[in-house]
Amino acid sequence: MSNIFEIQNLKCSYKKGTVQDSDIVLEISNLSIQEGKIDFIVGPSGIGKSTILETLGFMNNTIASADVFKFQNDDVKNLWLKNDSEKSEFRNQNFSFIFQDNNLMQNFTAYENVMATALIQGVERKKAEEMTLLALKDMGLDYKADGPVYHYSGGERQRLAFARAILPDFKVLFGDEPTGNLDAKSADRLMKVLIDAVKKRNASAIIVSHDLKLSINYADMIIRIKKIERNSDENGHKSYYGFIDEHQVYTKGENGFWSCCDAKIEQKELFDKLVNEL
Ligand code: ADP
Ligand code: MG
């Protein structure tokens, strides 16, 4: 099985120009993400979960330095040097995104909301209609495709945002707390539908969630961003950054066991370990 992402010694910062060590918000010493899998990213608040999605999804240029940054075996470290249209084409061809605030057009119907995404992406009309119907069906919303969105419940709206995200062809779906504003039962149901849709397309998903039960249930792999404390600055202020290496990556195995490097860990133990860090 090949890797969709391969990263070595990546440092991420929001600072432009000269970057000091204290400007680094996330460091990834080593990370390989396999194709066709469901990966969850967990970690305490402010540690770099959104940053890793922005970086892998080329939403924001946070790359301060990197030894290796490969997408599907291609070196993409220098993608940011390309012009805007090349970058957005790369994004459109490969990625889809879903966020907690779903940005739907409230006065439009479900059908129109989803269809608009396809048309904006340059899909030809007839094909866009087919894709829209399929995406709505996948999310179980085809029965009310003609109702205005402001008539929808919170769960239905989020499902609609999911329908929009799975509509285009993509290799990786990025989700930043996509079920964050739903109750546990709806979140679980929706996550299942989303993951089925991703698997049906032979795509991958990289999802940030603070819901550890959901993560353990649905992940093939969990990436835990570790909090590292820096030395205090001259005013005695402490600061932190996020860190990932192979010891922070847990792969689901058989019979409730997970593996990390060469070690095996029982699911309950993993859950407790993750709870302790959040
Ligand atoms: P999380 O998603 O885990 O809560 P983030 O990835 O949003 O954390 O943030 C990681 C760190 O980067 C935080 O210290 C945050 O303040 C900083 N950060 C996030 N986005 C920006 C930005 N656009 N500009 C500057 N700093 C940012
Ligand atoms: Mg975040």
Side-chain angles (χ1 to χ4, degrees):
M1 173 107 24
S2 51
N3 287 329
I4 193 120
F5 283 107
E6 210 179 313
I7 289 169
Q8 277 167 31
N9 295 326
L10 167 69
K11 291 187 177 179
C12 301
S13 173
Y14 287 94
K15 178 99 183 292
K16 303 288 170 232
T18 316
V19 174
Q20 319 271 341
D21 273 356
S22 56
D23 300 319
I24 303 295
V25 298
L26 176 69
E27 184 179 331
I28 302 178
S29 104
N30 205 330
L31 180 66
S32 298
I33 299 183
Q34 275 187 2
E35 221 169 53
K37 302 278 183 191
I38 308 297
D39 306 296
F40 274 71
I41 296 175
V42 303
S45 163
I47 207 60
K49 300 186 295 300
S50 297
T51 305
I52 189 174
L53 294 192
E54 286 179 34
T55 308
L56 297 180
F58 288 91
M59 283 178 258
N60 202 341
N61 185 6
T62 64
I63 305 174
S65 62
D67 287 350
V68 176
F69 195 138
K70 286 186 183 169
F71 172 70
Q72 293 191 316
N73 284 326
D74 288 334
D75 185 344
V76 287
K77 240 184 342 217
N78 296 322
L79 190 79
W80 283 102
L81 300 176
K82 301 207 165 172
N83 67 39
D84 285 351
S85 66
E86 280 176 291
K87 276 181 289 200
S88 57
E89 194 183 320
F90 173 81
R91 258 183 240 113
N92 282 342
Q93 273 183 359
N94 294 304
F95 305 142
S96 186
F97 302 95
I98 176 157
F99 306 98
Q100 190 171 325
D101 303 314
N102 47 44
N103 282 328
L104 296 169
M105 302 181 288
Q106 299 300 324
N107 290 315
F108 289 77
T109 66
Y111 185 83
E112 288 161 338
N113 263 282
V114 178
M115 178 82 164
T117 311
L119 294 176
I120 289 166
Q121 289 211 332
V123 179
E124 176 260 322
R125 185 152 196 114
K126 192 153 170 21
K127 174 94 180 128
E129 284 171 5
E130 283 167 20
M131 288 166 86
T132 300
L133 288 176
L134 183 69
L136 288 172
K137 196 156 181 273
D138 269 350
M139 286 296 145
L141 280 172
D142 44 334
Y143 73 100
K144 61 190 301 183
D146 292 330
V149 165
Y150 63 80
H151 283 169
Y152 281 37
S153 70
E156 284 170 336
R157 262 179 237 181
Q158 198 62 7
R159 246 190 298 161
L160 184 50
F162 280 30
R164 221 172 37 166
I166 59 163
L167 168 102
D169 263 343
F170 59 84
K171 306 225 172 73
V172 188
L173 176 84
F174 291 101
D176 199 347
E177 306 265 8
T179 58
N181 49 11
L182 301 176
D183 63 84
K185 211 169 150 197
S186 315
D188 189 72
R189 205 177 325 131
L190 212 49
M191 192 56 83
K192 186 170 181 337
V193 179
L194 183 73
I195 285 170
D196 284 348
V198 170
K199 290 200 163 152
K200 212 162 97 185
R201 285 162 176 75
N202 289 321
S204 314
I206 302 181
I207 299 170
V208 164
S209 179
H210 61 259
D211 186 333
L212 296 176
K213 279 207 179 116
L214 204 70
S215 308
I216 282 192
N217 272 346
Y218 290 110
D220 296 314
M221 184 166 105
I222 293 180
I223 301 163
R224 164 181 176 244
I225 307 186
K226 190 175 172 179
K227 188 169 175 177
I228 308 251
E229 191 179 321
R230 280 194 189 91
N231 293 332
S232 310
D233 65 14
E234 60 271 23
N235 302 316
H237 292 143
K238 282 184 181 167
S239 66
Y240 302 89
Y241 65 96
F243 179 78
I244 299 171
D245 69 3
E246 60 274 21
H247 301 283
Q248 311 305 322
V249 174
Y250 300 86
T251 309
K252 192 180 262 170
E254 308 268 290
N255 306 325
F257 277 91
W258 291 66
S259 58
C260 175
C261 296
D262 288 332
K264 274 198 166 179
I265 174 167
E266 212 185 315
Q267 183 149 302
K268 167 89 175 68
E269 201 187 326
L270 173 62
F271 185 79
D272 292 344
K273 195 181 168 95
L274 297 176
V275 168
N276 274 335
E277 258 243 328
L278 290 189

